[in-house]
Amino acid sequence: MVQDKTISSRIFDVVNYTLLLIIGLVTILPFLHVIAGSFTTVTELAQKQFVLFPTVWSLDAYKYVFSTNTVFRSLGVSVGVTFLGTLFSMLLTCLMAYGLSRRDLDGRNFIMFMVLFTMLFSGGMIPTFLVVKEMGLIDTYAALIVPTAINAFNLIIMRNFFQNLPEGLEESAKIDGAGDWGILFRIVIPLSMPAIATISLFYAVTYWNTYMSAILYLNDAAKWPVQVILRQIVILASGLAADTSGMDEFVRPPEQTVKMAVIVIATLPILCVYPFLQKHFAKGALLGSIKG
């Protein structure tokens, strides 16, 4: 009987590992193809439908993308917006989440209803644009941060995480003379680093991928983030009509290799950040979603 269970267990492990390996390969091989394709010559990429190891390595696509300071400038804009936007969003999210986690807050249920309402219905593009315009944020970097400063889903996760913290910690801090600000910044936030790391990653990815807001609110091409510039490069490489403001120095490059290089450039920074937050990611998302 024990031998049968052992054999069954081994068969299950083999099948399980095989399926996981297949799923892993299906997931990672396309991205490896994109990376390899960005270093491949146009001729080889045209001859082969799938490339993992280029026969001849070429940097033509990257030389084209980085042929001017436009991409470097846009990368600086994206890094700045991502860093400042994440800090600003996390500050507002933590402050609001902590307030809503307090059971003695008057009108807490109504405020939470309004937060949930925004997850189902939004003002729309035109009303949002008019609000941003009336606030004087058009053609400013603040237009990329302020309108999306608090995400309702992230706020709910943070509030739930704060609610799961032992109430005795706050009571002990109050006995020692700590106020609400002291409790938040000295006790609650240090104990909530897994959730904060998780939500910070969510916000960082959102700000890094900022595209539509930049198209709507930024008139000056010098202020465009990297996602908009990379889109213009792809359109220019495809020979299609595009707004080529600030991109006159570019010469039409090989289309497919440039597209792959653009994907690598847009994805690599987030991939470099993720390993440092991975250990907090699952824990923070899970703990913040256990109780409502």
Side-chain angles (χ1 to χ4, degrees), residues 103-267:
R103 292 178 173 81
D104 57 347
L105 177 67
D106 294 335
R108 184 176 73 130
N109 293 333
F110 175 75
I111 297 175
M112 278 306 304
F113 170 77
M114 297 302 295
V115 171
L116 293 172
F117 187 83
T118 64
M119 297 181 66
L120 303 175
F121 304 97
S122 64
M125 182 185 299
I126 295 177
T128 302
F129 178 84
L130 294 177
V131 171
V132 172
K133 181 179 179 181
E134 291 301 318
M135 293 176 64
L137 300 180
I138 294 296
D139 213 24
T140 66
Y141 294 126
L144 306 181
I145 298 175
V146 175
T148 57
I150 298 180
N151 179 276
F153 175 77
N154 296 338
L155 174 66
I156 293 172
I157 291 181
M158 285 301 303
R159 187 203 69 140
N160 293 345
F161 193 96
F162 289 162
Q163 282 184 335
N164 292 335
L165 295 176
E167 296 183 6
L169 293 175
E170 295 188 20
E171 295 175 358
S172 300
K174 289 181 179 179
I175 293 175
D176 292 336
D180 291 332
W181 290 102
I183 294 173
L184 174 61
F185 288 103
R186 295 183 182 180
I187 298 177
V188 175
I189 289 182
L191 292 175
S192 305
M193 291 311 297
I196 290 176
T198 301
I199 302 305
S200 296
L201 182 61
F202 288 160
Y203 278 125
V205 171
T206 299
Y207 283 117
W208 180 261
N209 291 329
T210 295
Y211 167 73
M212 185 57 66
S213 297
I215 292 294
L216 291 175
Y217 307 135
L218 298 182
N219 300 322
D220 186 359
K223 297 179 180 180
W224 283 349
V226 68
Q227 302 296 343
V228 180
I229 293 296
L230 294 180
R231 171 185 175 273
Q232 301 302 98
I233 293 175
V234 170
I235 292 178
L236 190 62
S238 302
L240 303 176
D243 179 8
T244 57
S245 304
M247 302 181 64
D248 297 334
E249 302 175 51
F250 285 100
V251 181
R252 184 177 175 182
E255 177 183 350
Q256 286 301 115
T257 56
V258 167
K259 287 182 179 180
M260 293 182 176
V262 163
I263 294 173
V264 173
I265 294 171
T267 309

Side-chain angles (χ1 to χ4, degrees), residues 24-59:
L25 290 175
V26 170
T27 303
I28 197 172
L29 283 179
F31 189 65
L32 292 178
H33 166 64
V34 169
I35 295 176
S38 66
F39 291 100
T40 306
T41 61
V42 182
T43 304
E44 182 177 357
L45 196 61
Q47 294 175 347
K48 299 180 180 179
Q49 294 183 350
F50 193 81
V51 178
L52 285 180
F53 299 99
T55 304
V56 178
W57 292 78
S58 174
L59 295 175

Side-chain angles (χ1 to χ4, degrees), residues 90-108:
M90 283 308 305
L91 176 62
L92 295 183
T93 300
C94 287
L95 291 176
M96 188 171 181
Y98 178 66
L100 292 174
S101 68
R102 306 295 294 271
R103 292 178 173 81
D104 57 347
L105 177 67
D106 294 335
R108 184 176 73 130

Side-chain angles (χ1 to χ4, degrees), residues 66-74 249:
F66 293 106
S67 60
T68 71
N69 293 328
T70 303
V71 175
F72 290 103
R73 183 180 64 242
S74 64
E249 302 175 51

